[in-house]
Amino acid sequence: MSDTGAGATLIVGLHGVLDRHPWIDRVNAEFDLEEDVFSLAVRRASAYAWSSTVLTDKPAADNLWDHNDADGDWTQDGQVRQLAWLQASLPRPLNIPGRRQRARRLPVLPVITVLSDALRRVGSVRLTGTHALVPLHRAGDARVELAEVSDWFALADPSGAASLTVTVSALASANLGARAAEIRDAALERTYGHLAVEPLKPAVVKTPGLAQPLAGVVQAEGLRRALAFRCEAREWSTDVAAWATEVFADSVRAVTGLSGLTLITVSSDV
């Protein structure tokens, strides 16, 4: 079953510049299509078997998320826009007697992949940033998996190296600033040195790759930017943005035990 309360909410947004395919309006008219972020994301998530909207007698236990809403700004002006965002509820694992279930990892990469696929279906995309409002108490321990996948990101053309700015916002009571060094060390441990991480002063950090206001501003009310890091990756892509997001989500979870909603943004140099 799904817990539809705020504590189960996951919101992910992709930012950048979209150039719509010149044939989109003609094809929409020919086949009487009215595709938007929501319809495309639902279809793509179903294709990957990550989330289904098909109604059955039994709970969709295999769903990584249940769709709530999605939208995006496709204004054709060459400016950085919030191109696609998705709000979802994370289902609770089914309680199976005699079986101990491990908490699931946050489906950050699957959601970003679905949104990216949806955007590429309607145009060419220059990604400039992502944001994710994540419920840390729903996040399973991802340390081993993140370390295992780190070599994937090492296998990249060195000439494509990119600088990223990562920020973490939480309630002031979490006092994340006091744990910045530990969180950095945890991030380095999870990336095996394939993501350079250096602390920045959160108050002065700029995130030009993000279009404001971010989707989820209502749910994120009360959260304050507490951490900022300058990161160097071998490439810039939706996969790298998802990886960095999950690395810092898992690092914050492990170091602080923080629960509740936490906002993580990743912005490239634009």
Side-chain angles (χ1 to χ4, degrees), residues 86-115:
L86 184 147
Q87 177 178 333
S89 295
L90 301 185
R92 291 188 183 278
L94 293 181
N95 186 11
I96 302 176
R99 182 183 299 180
R100 183 178 179 183
Q101 288 190 298
R102 180 185 177 190
R104 283 177 170 173
R105 287 170 58 190
L106 294 170
V108 175
L109 176 58
V111 171
I112 285 181
T113 298
V114 163
L115 292 177

Side-chain angles (χ1 to χ4, degrees), residues 115-127:
L115 292 177
S116 177
D117 285 359
L119 291 173
R120 288 202 304 268
R121 201 64 181 164
V122 298
S124 59
V125 181
R126 178 168 66 88
L127 181 75

Side-chain angles (χ1 to χ4, degrees), residues 2-9 68 89:
S2 294
D3 174 356
T4 56
T9 297
N68 291 159
S89 295

Side-chain angles (χ1 to χ4, degrees), residues 204-260:
V204 299
V205 162
K206 304 296 184 184
T207 53
L210 304 177
Q212 302 291 336
L214 304 179
V217 64
V218 173
Q219 293 84 348
E221 185 178 3
L223 303 187
R224 298 292 180 265
R225 183 185 293 175
L227 300 170
F229 300 94
R230 187 68 164 179
C231 301
E232 301 291 333
R234 296 291 292 272
E235 64 179 2
W236 170 239
S237 64
T238 51
D239 281 359
V240 167
W243 181 48
T245 299
E246 195 174 2
V247 162
F248 282 96
D250 195 62
S251 297
V252 170
R253 179 202 59 78
V255 169
T256 69
L258 186 65
S259 64

